[in-house]
Amino acid sequence: MNGLALLDYASVLIFALTGALVASRAQLDLVGFAFVACLTAVGGGTVRDLLLDRHPVFWVGEPTYVVIAASAALLVFFTAHLVESRYNWLIWLDSFALAIAVAAGTGVALTLDQPPVIVVLMGMTTGCLGGLMRDVVCNEIPLVLKQGELYVTCALVGSCVALIGNAQSLPQLTTLGLAALTCWGLRAGSLLFGWRLPVYKSRPPRNRS
């Protein structure tokens, strides 16, 4: 098993746990848990593979990914009530999943010799879309769009770090590790210290005489 496959497995597992936690907040049944967990776990990677015309899609070629996601849903279904703050668990697990998925997405695009813009976009797509699907389906405010927090920016910077590391001919493991660490560090800093980008504030139009 190569490093990219390990990254995909890790992101699938952690994203599936976040999907199941959101399902618990929505009080869904066991099938609902499995559906949301699987959607979250493979959503970003599926879009990535479809856009890159990568056949078969990673979880179709290796159904173990779906089994892992469903198992994570089963685990959370029977243990979520033991967690004091499911939302805190959700946002921190999501931060780890985001970082790992960004590294996985950029790694796949680099392996396929995609141009720099596509490499960055595939990292962002893999990292962000699964969580976005999860939150939209469960009628939650998407973490990816939550005002006052860095999210997509973390994915963007992490992907760019991977691109730079590859251009410097660093080993793949080092390159993707730096990308994941950078992405997670920015996300954690946003959650802990309130790091953010300026937001748009509307102003009344000027009177013209």
Side-chain angles (χ1 to χ4, degrees):
M1 183 183 297
N2 60 35
L4 285 179
L6 286 174
L7 287 173
D8 268 336
Y9 275 114
S11 66
V12 161
L13 173 61
I14 303 174
F15 261 137
L17 292 172
T18 71
L21 284 172
V22 172
S24 73
R25 286 162 55 85
Q27 297 184 320
L28 302 181
D29 60 20
L30 184 55
V31 174
F33 267 67
F35 174 77
V36 176
C38 291
L39 176 68
T40 310
V42 305
T46 298
V47 175
R48 172 200 69 201
D49 286 357
L50 291 175
L51 290 174
L52 292 176
D53 198 26
R54 191 175 178 228
H55 298 294
V57 173
F58 76 107
W59 58 269
V60 175
E62 183 51 75
T64 305
Y65 290 107
V66 178
V67 175
I68 290 173
S71 300
L74 185 65
L75 174 65
V76 175
F77 184 82
F78 289 108
T79 61
H81 66 283
L82 302 175
V83 178
E84 183 175 349
S85 176
R86 278 172 281 175
Y87 185 73
N88 282 336
W89 275 89
L90 167 63
I91 59 175
W92 283 105
L93 284 172
D94 184 86
S95 72
F96 288 113
L98 171 68
I100 295 169
V102 165
T106 54
V108 168
L110 287 170
T111 301
L112 296 175
D113 295 322
Q114 295 294 322
V117 172
I118 302 303
V119 170
V120 172
L121 289 176
M122 290 304 102
M124 296 170 67
T125 296
T126 310
C128 297
L129 285 191
L132 179 61
M133 294 176 188
R134 170 198 67 208
D135 295 338
V136 169
V137 166
C138 291
N139 200 30
E140 295 259 348
I141 298 174
L143 289 177
V144 67
L145 299 176
K146 194 169 182 181
Q147 185 180 15
E149 293 182 5
L150 299 179
Y151 197 102
V152 178
T153 304
C154 306
L156 171 63
V157 176
S159 298
C160 289
V161 167
L163 197 63
I164 294 169
N166 184 70
Q168 298 298 317
S169 300
L170 296 178
Q172 183 187 66
L173 184 60
T174 302
T175 296
L176 299 183
L178 288 173
L181 185 60
T182 302
C183 179
W184 184 80
L186 288 174
R187 179 66 179 141
S190 180
L191 294 171
L192 291 173
F193 307 118
W195 295 350
R196 64 186 64 189
L197 295 177
V199 297
Y200 173 78
K201 295 181 179 179
S202 61
R203 299 176 181 176
R206 297 179 180 178
N207 293 325
R208 295 182 179 180
S209 56

